[in-house]
Amino acid sequence: MAYFEDMSPCTYFGNWSDRLVSIGWLVPEKEFETGDVSKDFFDALFSMLKKPWQPFVTAGHEPCRFCRFTHGTAMLRYLDGEVSIGTNNLFVPDGERAFVAPSSIIHYIDSHRYQPPAEFQAAVLRESSSSSIDLFKKMKSLGITQQQA
Ligand SMILES: [Zn+2]
């Protein structure tokens, strides 16, 4: 997986790198923030990841490089649902920009003590209650729109 420092421009998608802010693109070779997060945040992140808005579909499961032997899980089950790990990316609009995180972020938080930036946590807590239509409109206003695969 590509590495981007938290809060740096995300060039992974080729487009929109001036508006996309990287969150949770971790690799074992680079240090990252660790610490507690609230259950409210984790629950909000989980609910957004159940149906992530994204401009295109990516294929293939990206293994977790922090899990030494099992390489992490491809499916995280929690509460009343499940999300696939290491496949999708999560886009979270935040004013004039959008955060983008790999779906593995929820595994990094759960199993590897990752603590994402406070601004990202606030945006997830706010946007988790937005409908997918509202999210689509916000992303569209940033010029980030669905593309045909
Ligand atoms: Zn792992």
Side-chain angles (χ1 to χ4, degrees), residues 3-89:
Y3 169 74
F4 298 104
E5 192 179 342
D6 272 359
M7 303 302 292
S8 73
C10 186
T11 56
Y12 184 77
F13 304 96
N15 298 317
W16 322 303
S17 56
D18 56 333
R19 279 153 283 168
L20 287 179
V21 179
S22 310
I23 298 289
W25 297 77
L26 310 182
V27 292
E29 296 79 15
K30 302 277 189 180
E31 293 199 358
F32 59 88
E33 294 292 325
T34 59
D36 289 338
V37 300
S38 72
K39 184 174 185 301
D40 283 351
F41 164 68
F42 190 81
D43 290 359
L45 183 64
F46 186 82
S47 83
M48 288 195 86
L49 276 167
K50 276 198 280 190
K51 273 194 170 235
W53 180 91
Q54 52 181 356
F56 41 76
V57 176
T58 45
H61 166 66
E62 191 84 30
C64 175
R65 293 180 55 205
F66 296 90
C67 288
R68 277 184 232 186
F69 300 110
T70 64
H71 307 298
T73 177
M75 192 67 78
L76 185 77
R77 291 188 177 83
Y78 179 63
L79 300 178
D80 59 342
E82 55 186 29
V83 298
S84 57
I85 302 294
T87 48
N88 302 320
N89 299 288

Side-chain angles (χ1 to χ4, degrees), residues 131-146:
S131 68
S132 34
I133 289 174
D134 281 346
L135 285 176
F136 173 77
K137 282 182 184 160
K138 287 178 186 176
M139 295 304 292
K140 195 178 177 190
S141 75
L142 290 169
I144 300 171
T145 52
Q146 219 102 21

